[in-house]
Amino acid sequence: MREMFDRIAGRYELLNTLMSAGLNRVWNRKVLNAADLRAGGRALDLACGTGTLTRDLATRVGPDGYVLGLDFSKEMIRAAKKRSVPNVEYRIGDATKLAGVEDNSFDAATIAYGARNIPDLDALFSEMTRAVGPRGKVVCLEIARPRGRFFATFYGLWFDRLVPWLGARVSGDKWAYSYLPQSVKEFVAPDELAEIMRRNGLQNVTWDKFSGGIITLHVGSKPG
Ligand SMILES: C[S@@+](CC[C@H](N)C(=O)[O-])C[C@H]1O[C@@H](n2cnc3c(N)ncnc32)[C@H](O)[C@@H]1O
C-alpha cells in the first residue's frame, strides 16, 4: 500500500483534480467548516498525501496557527514539502500510531480519502480522539457509492471505467487506479463508520452525504 502511494505521488494532485472535476476543493471547504478552526488554531491532517487539504487548513488557521500533515508515504511527503507554507510541518508516520503527538494537542484532526486505506479504523479514531483536546473536532471525508439510480449509473461509468483508464494513463500505475474504486466498494457503511467513531470516544457524531451521494463527511467531538 505504501509503495503504491509512493509510485503515484508525482501525478496525484493533477489526477485528483481531473477525477473530481475540480470539486475536491469544494469538498475540502466542507472539512474546514466542520473542523471549526479559528485563526491561531492547531490542526492535524492525517494521511495528508501531497497536502491539498493541509494547505487549506493552514490558510484557515492563518500565520499564528499550526498544521501538522502526516503520511506514511515518503514520496507523498516529499511532494507536499515542495509546496510547503510557513505554518505547516510535514512528518512521515503511521496514522494509527501517532508517535510524537501529545494528548490533547490539537483543536481538530482531519483525514480526507485516507480512512478507506486503513484497515484498523479503531486505532485510527482512537488516535485522532487522543490527539484533540476537549471539544476538539474529528473530521473524516470519504468517497462513497451513491444510491439513486441516476447518480449510481453516472458514478459507475465515471468511477469504475473512466477513473481506472485515466489513472493508468496519467500515473502509469494501472493497479493503483483499479484499487481505488475497489477500496470504496469494500469500505464500511457510513452508519458503521459513525459507530466506530463513537466507540473510540467521540460524541455528537453526525454524517452527511453530498454531491449526489459520492462523498461522505463524518464529524465528531471529544467530550468537554
Ligand atoms: C488517497 S490519498 C489522500 C491524500 C490527501 N488526504 C488528499 O486529500 O488528497 C491517501 C493517503 O493515505 C496515506 N496513508 C494510507 N495509510 C496510511 C497510514 N496508515 N498512515 C499514514 N498515511 C497513510 C497514503 O500514503 C496516501 O497519501
Side-chain angles (χ1 to χ4, degrees):
M1 176 77 66
R2 188 178 317 169
E3 284 165 13
M4 178 190 85
F5 283 112
D6 277 341
R7 286 199 303 273
I8 64 172
R11 291 291 176 93
Y12 176 80
E13 253 181 60
L14 169 67
L15 269 168
N16 238 10
T17 304
L18 291 175
M19 286 172 180
S20 70
L23 285 171
N24 54 335
R25 300 304 296 276
V26 175
W27 300 332
N28 277 2
R29 267 205 297 283
K30 303 238 179 217
V31 176
L32 299 181
N33 292 337
D36 197 22
L37 288 158
R38 307 281 143 90
R42 290 171 58 86
L44 172 64
D45 186 29
L46 295 179
C48 66
T50 56
T52 327
L53 174 62
T54 325
R55 293 191 298 276
D56 286 345
L57 288 162
T59 305
R60 182 62 64 102
V61 297
D64 296 330
Y66 167 77
V67 185
L68 174 61
L70 183 135
D71 200 287
F72 74 178
S73 154
K74 68 175 188 333
E75 293 304 327
M76 285 286 187
I77 292 292
R78 193 200 302 270
K81 281 182 172 170
K82 282 189 189 153
R83 301 185 59 187
S84 195
V85 284
N87 53 345
V88 172
E89 184 190 346
Y90 287 108
R91 282 190 210 156
I92 297 171
D94 186 343
T96 62
K97 290 183 208 97
L98 296 177
V101 171
E102 290 188 13
D103 296 359
N104 307 317
S105 53
F106 289 92
D107 301 309
T110 60
I111 183 159
Y113 322 116
R116 193 170 23 91
N117 305 296
I118 297 181
D120 192 348
L121 291 172
D122 283 302
L124 171 68
F125 285 104
S126 76
E127 280 295 73
M128 291 178 91
T129 307
R130 180 181 73 72
V132 297
R135 294 180 297 283
K137 301 282 188 196
V138 169
V139 185
C140 176
L141 185 77
E142 257 308 341
I143 307 171
R145 294 189 79 82
R147 288 268 168 91
R149 197 192 285 177
F150 170 77
F151 278 108
T153 306
F154 175 73
Y155 177 94
L157 289 172
W158 183 273
F159 214 60
D160 295 336
R161 304 277 175 94
L162 183 76
V163 162
W165 180 84
L166 190 67
R169 261 137 206 92
V170 178
S171 77
D173 195 313
K174 195 171 172 201
W175 189 79
Y177 286 91
S178 309
Y179 159 81
L180 203 164
Q182 194 56 35
S183 66
V184 175
K185 275 185 204 144
E186 287 168 6
F187 192 49
V188 295
D191 276 335
E192 203 181 328
L193 187 64
E195 190 46 42
I196 293 170
M197 291 172 72
R198 286 186 198 104
R199 75 174 179 237
N200 284 288
L202 295 166
Q203 66 180 23
N204 303 323
V205 176
T206 58
W207 65 270
D208 206 4
K209 274 195 172 190
F210 43 90
S211 296
I214 60 167
I215 295 290
T216 53
L217 182 75
H218 284 71
V219 189
S221 310
K222 185 158 168 174

